[in-house]
Amino acid sequence: MIEAKDKARRPVLPDWLTSAKQRAAVAKWAAGHYGQTTAYHLVRTPVYSAKLLAYAPRGAFRWVGASGRWVSDAEGLPVRLAAVRTEDAGEYLKLSRQRDAR
């Protein structure tokens, strides 16, 4: 039973850390992998910049529009106007207080 438990134990350090040759191979692979990834994105930086410049105005416009609708409580406006048309002061005041609380 003890031998079975000894076999089931995992080593504290992985095999590639215990061998200098394997450590060098892993380091070489990592340098190549991350170097290639960095070069890939550096070459495409002008494309990324162009996309950012193209999409930023649209995103800013959408953000300003959404913020304006939120600040003005655009979704509650038709309900408040209906309360004004029916001259229901109590309902209008309740809706107005709710808007102010937001």
Side-chain angles (χ1 to χ4, degrees), residues 36-71:
Q36 192 273 337
T37 301
T38 301
Y40 177 88
H41 290 292
L42 280 175
V43 167
R44 284 158 179 78
T45 298
V47 175
Y48 297 156
S49 299
K51 284 185 175 183
L52 178 65
L53 288 173
Y55 292 135
R58 179 177 180 235
F61 181 75
R62 291 177 68 183
W63 180 80
V64 168
S67 298
R69 285 189 301 276
W70 178 76
V71 167

Side-chain angles (χ1 to χ4, degrees), residues 19-95:
S19 166
K21 187 176 180 181
Q22 287 184 351
R23 274 194 312 266
V26 168
K28 182 179 175 183
W29 175 86
H33 173 74
Y34 291 110
Q36 192 273 337
T37 301
T38 301
Y40 177 88
H41 290 292
L42 280 175
V43 167
R44 284 158 179 78
T45 298
V47 175
Y48 297 156
S49 299
K51 284 185 175 183
L52 178 65
L53 288 173
Y55 292 135
R58 179 177 180 235
F61 181 75
R62 291 177 68 183
W63 180 80
V64 168
S67 298
R69 285 189 301 276
W70 178 76
V71 167
S72 68
D73 192 25
E75 72 179 23
L77 181 62
V79 179
R80 287 193 311 275
L81 291 176
V84 169
R85 278 192 301 274
T86 60
E87 298 179 2
D88 187 355
E91 181 69 17
Y92 176 78
L93 289 174
K94 182 178 91 172
L95 293 168

